[in-house]
Amino acid sequence: MTPIAPSALSGLIGTEVGVSDWITVDQARIDAFADITEDRQFIHVDPEGAKATPFGGTIAHGFLTLSLLSRMSFDGVAPLEGVVMGVNYGFDKVRFLAPVPSGSRIRARFRLLAADDKGGGRWLLKHEVTVEIEGGDKPALIAEWLGMQMVG
């Protein structure tokens, strides 16, 4: 992936700047997330119990899907030219729109909404992120994600 020159950012605002690889969200990943977060609600970890719900089986935690954005960003979005590091700066918006059934594959599309030069080599980037479920008609989530990139 070719790095993006900070001077080119203004011309990319409003455009799709990346699409990640597909990630499989299987039951082992869901169970590991449940263990680490201590969120063991049956709709996530009990395949038999979850069959009786409107979901028809276990689903990923919304926060599991959200946490995979970092990986999807590394896969799909070119770094800034000369970037030394990036840090998560938060979200302006997060909406969980559709459940991610166990065994599904998801990927993210990134559209650059804003790029603010904060001085000292710091760039605050805002991306609209849409996480798609393979074969699904609704996205799993849509978010406006802020990241601070340090160029040096």
Side-chain angles (χ1 to χ4, degrees), residues 58-82:
T58 55
I59 59 170
H61 305 71
F63 285 143
L64 168 55
T65 304
L66 189 68
S67 73
L68 290 170
L69 292 184
S70 293
R71 153 83 190 284
M72 290 187 267
S73 175
F74 285 121
D75 286 348
V77 181
L80 287 184
E81 198 171 79

CSV table of all heavy atoms in Angstrom, one decimal, residues 58-82:
chain,number,residue,atom,x,y,z
A,58,THR,N,-25.9,-18.0,17.7
A,58,THR,CA,-25.1,-17.1,18.4
A,58,THR,C,-24.6,-15.9,17.5
A,58,THR,O,-24.5,-16.1,16.3
A,58,THR,CB,-23.8,-17.7,19.0
A,58,THR,OG1,-23.1,-18.4,18.0
A,58,THR,CG2,-24.2,-18.6,20.2
A,59,ILE,N,-24.4,-14.8,18.1
A,59,ILE,CA,-24.0,-13.6,17.4
A,59,ILE,C,-22.8,-13.0,18.1
A,59,ILE,O,-22.6,-13.2,19.3
A,59,ILE,CB,-25.1,-12.5,17.2
A,59,ILE,CG1,-25.6,-12.1,18.6
A,59,ILE,CG2,-26.2,-13.1,16.4
A,59,ILE,CD1,-26.5,-10.9,18.6
A,60,ALA,N,-22.0,-12.3,17.3
A,60,ALA,CA,-20.8,-11.6,17.9
A,60,ALA,C,-21.3,-10.4,18.8
A,60,ALA,O,-22.3,-9.8,18.5
A,60,ALA,CB,-19.9,-11.0,16.8
A,61,HIS,N,-20.5,-10.1,19.7
A,61,HIS,CA,-20.7,-8.9,20.5
A,61,HIS,C,-20.6,-7.7,19.6
A,61,HIS,O,-19.6,-7.7,18.8
A,61,HIS,CB,-19.7,-8.7,21.6
A,61,HIS,CG,-19.6,-9.9,22.5
A,61,HIS,ND1,-19.0,-11.1,22.2
A,61,HIS,CD2,-19.9,-10.0,23.8
A,61,HIS,CE1,-19.0,-11.9,23.2
A,61,HIS,NE2,-19.6,-11.3,24.2
A,62,GLY,N,-21.4,-6.6,19.8
A,62,GLY,CA,-21.2,-5.4,19.0
A,62,GLY,C,-19.8,-4.8,19.2
A,62,GLY,O,-19.1,-4.4,18.3
A,63,PHE,N,-19.3,-4.9,20.5
A,63,PHE,CA,-18.0,-4.4,20.8
A,63,PHE,C,-16.9,-5.2,20.2
A,63,PHE,O,-15.8,-4.7,19.9
A,63,PHE,CB,-17.8,-4.2,22.3
A,63,PHE,CG,-18.5,-3.0,22.9
A,63,PHE,CD1,-19.1,-3.1,24.1
A,63,PHE,CD2,-18.6,-1.8,22.2
A,63,PHE,CE1,-19.7,-2.0,24.7
A,63,PHE,CE2,-19.3,-0.8,22.7
A,63,PHE,CZ,-19.9,-0.9,24.0
A,64,LEU,N,-17.1,-6.5,19.9
A,64,LEU,CA,-16.1,-7.3,19.2
A,64,LEU,C,-16.0,-6.8,17.8
A,64,LEU,O,-14.9,-6.6,17.3
A,64,LEU,CB,-16.5,-8.8,19.2
A,64,LEU,CG,-15.8,-9.7,18.3
A,64,LEU,CD1,-14.3,-9.7,18.5
A,64,LEU,CD2,-16.3,-11.2,18.4
A,65,THR,N,-17.1,-6.6,17.1
A,65,THR,CA,-17.1,-6.1,15.8
A,65,THR,C,-16.3,-4.7,15.8
A,65,THR,O,-15.5,-4.5,14.9
A,65,THR,CB,-18.5,-5.9,15.2
A,65,THR,OG1,-19.1,-7.2,15.3
A,65,THR,CG2,-18.5,-5.5,13.8
A,66,LEU,N,-16.7,-3.9,16.7
A,66,LEU,CA,-16.0,-2.5,16.8
A,66,LEU,C,-14.5,-2.7,17.0
A,66,LEU,O,-13.7,-2.0,16.4
A,66,LEU,CB,-16.7,-1.7,17.9
A,66,LEU,CG,-16.3,-0.3,18.0
A,66,LEU,CD1,-16.8,0.5,16.8
A,66,LEU,CD2,-16.8,0.3,19.3
A,67,SER,N,-14.1,-3.6,17.9
A,67,SER,CA,-12.7,-3.8,18.2
A,67,SER,C,-11.9,-4.2,17.0
A,67,SER,O,-10.7,-4.0,16.9
A,67,SER,CB,-12.5,-4.7,19.4
A,67,SER,OG,-12.8,-6.1,19.0
A,68,LEU,N,-12.5,-4.9,16.0
A,68,LEU,CA,-11.8,-5.4,14.9
A,68,LEU,C,-11.5,-4.2,13.9
A,68,LEU,O,-10.8,-4.4,12.9
A,68,LEU,CB,-12.6,-6.5,14.2
A,68,LEU,CG,-12.6,-7.8,15.0
A,68,LEU,CD1,-13.6,-8.8,14.4
A,68,LEU,CD2,-11.2,-8.4,15.1
A,69,LEU,N,-12.0,-3.0,14.1
A,69,LEU,CA,-11.7,-1.9,13.2
A,69,LEU,C,-10.2,-1.6,13.1
A,69,LEU,O,-9.7,-1.3,12.0
A,69,LEU,CB,-12.4,-0.6,13.7
A,69,LEU,CG,-14.0,-0.6,13.5
A,69,LEU,CD1,-14.5,0.7,14.0
A,69,LEU,CD2,-14.4,-1.0,12.2
A,70,SER,N,-9.5,-1.8,14.2
A,70,SER,CA,-8.0,-1.5,14.1
A,70,SER,C,-7.4,-2.5,13.1
A,70,SER,O,-6.6,-2.0,12.2
A,70,SER,CB,-7.4,-1.8,15.5
A,70,SER,OG,-7.8,-0.8,16.4
A,71,ARG,N,-7.7,-3.7,13.2
A,71,ARG,CA,-7.2,-4.7,12.2
A,71,ARG,C,-7.6,-4.3,10.8
A,71,ARG,O,-6.8,-4.4,9.9
A,71,ARG,CB,-7.6,-6.1,12.6
A,71,ARG,CG,-7.7,-7.1,11.5
A,71,ARG,CD,-6.4,-7.8,11.1
A,71,ARG,NE,-6.6,-8.6,9.9
A,71,ARG,CZ,-7.2,-9.7,9.8
A,71,ARG,NH1,-7.7,-10.3,10.8
A,71,ARG,NH2,-7.2,-10.3,8.6
A,72,MET,N,-8.9,-4.0,10.7
A,72,MET,CA,-9.4,-3.7,9.3
A,72,MET,C,-8.8,-2.4,8.8
A,72,MET,O,-8.5,-2.3,7.6
A,72,MET,CB,-10.9,-3.6,9.4
A,72,MET,CG,-11.6,-5.0,9.6
A,72,MET,SD,-13.4,-5.0,9.4
A,72,MET,CE,-13.8,-4.7,11.1
A,73,SER,N,-8.5,-1.5,9.6
A,73,SER,CA,-7.8,-0.3,9.2
A,73,SER,C,-6.4,-0.6,8.7
A,73,SER,O,-6.0,0.0,7.6
A,73,SER,CB,-7.8,0.7,10.3
A,73,SER,OG,-7.0,1.9,10.0
A,74,PHE,N,-5.7,-1.4,9.4
A,74,PHE,CA,-4.3,-1.8,8.9
A,74,PHE,C,-4.4,-2.5,7.6
A,74,PHE,O,-3.5,-2.3,6.8
A,74,PHE,CB,-3.6,-2.7,10.0
A,74,PHE,CG,-3.1,-1.9,11.2
A,74,PHE,CD1,-3.6,-2.3,12.4
A,74,PHE,CD2,-2.3,-0.8,11.1
A,74,PHE,CE1,-3.2,-1.6,13.6
A,74,PHE,CE2,-1.8,-0.2,12.2
A,74,PHE,CZ,-2.3,-0.5,13.5
A,75,ASP,N,-5.4,-3.3,7.4
A,75,ASP,CA,-5.5,-4.0,6.1
A,75,ASP,C,-5.9,-3.1,5.0
A,75,ASP,O,-5.5,-3.3,3.8
A,75,ASP,CB,-6.6,-5.1,6.2
A,75,ASP,CG,-6.3,-6.3,7.0
A,75,ASP,OD1,-5.1,-6.5,7.3
A,75,ASP,OD2,-7.2,-7.1,7.3
A,76,GLY,N,-6.8,-2.1,5.2
A,76,GLY,CA,-7.4,-1.4,4.1
A,76,GLY,C,-7.1,0.0,3.9
A,76,GLY,O,-7.4,0.5,2.8
A,77,VAL,N,-6.4,0.7,4.8
A,77,VAL,CA,-6.2,2.1,4.7
A,77,VAL,C,-4.7,2.4,4.6
A,77,VAL,O,-3.9,2.0,5.6
A,77,VAL,CB,-6.8,2.9,5.8
A,77,VAL,CG1,-6.6,4.4,5.6
A,77,VAL,CG2,-8.3,2.7,5.8
A,78,ALA,N,-4.2,3.0,3.6
A,78,ALA,CA,-2.8,3.4,3.5
A,78,ALA,C,-2.4,4.4,4.6
A,78,ALA,O,-3.2,5.3,4.9
A,78,ALA,CB,-2.5,4.0,2.1
A,79,PRO,N,-1.2,4.2,5.2
A,79,PRO,CA,-0.8,5.1,6.2
A,79,PRO,C,-0.4,6.5,5.6
A,79,PRO,O,-0.2,6.6,4.4
A,79,PRO,CB,0.4,4.4,6.8
A,79,PRO,CG,1.0,3.6,5.6
A,79,PRO,CD,-0.2,3.2,4.9
A,80,LEU,N,-0.3,7.5,6.4
A,80,LEU,CA,0.3,8.7,6.0
A,80,LEU,C,1.8,8.6,5.7
A,80,LEU,O,2.5,7.8,6.4
A,80,LEU,CB,0.1,9.8,7.0
A,80,LEU,CG,-1.3,10.4,7.1
A,80,LEU,CD1,-1.4,11.5,8.2
A,80,LEU,CD2,-1.9,10.8,5.8
A,81,GLU,N,2.3,9.3,4.7
A,81,GLU,CA,3.7,9.3,4.4
A,81,GLU,C,4.5,9.8,5.6
A,81,GLU,O,4.1,10.8,6.2
A,81,GLU,CB,3.9,10.2,3.2
A,81,GLU,CG,5.2,10.0,2.5
A,81,GLU,CD,5.1,10.9,1.2
A,81,GLU,OE1,5.4,12.1,1.3
A,81,GLU,OE2,4.8,10.3,0.2
A,82,GLY,N,5.5,9.0,6.1
A,82,GLY,CA,6.3,9.5,7.2
A,82,GLY,C,5.6,9.3,8.6
A,82,GLY,O,6.1,9.8,9.6
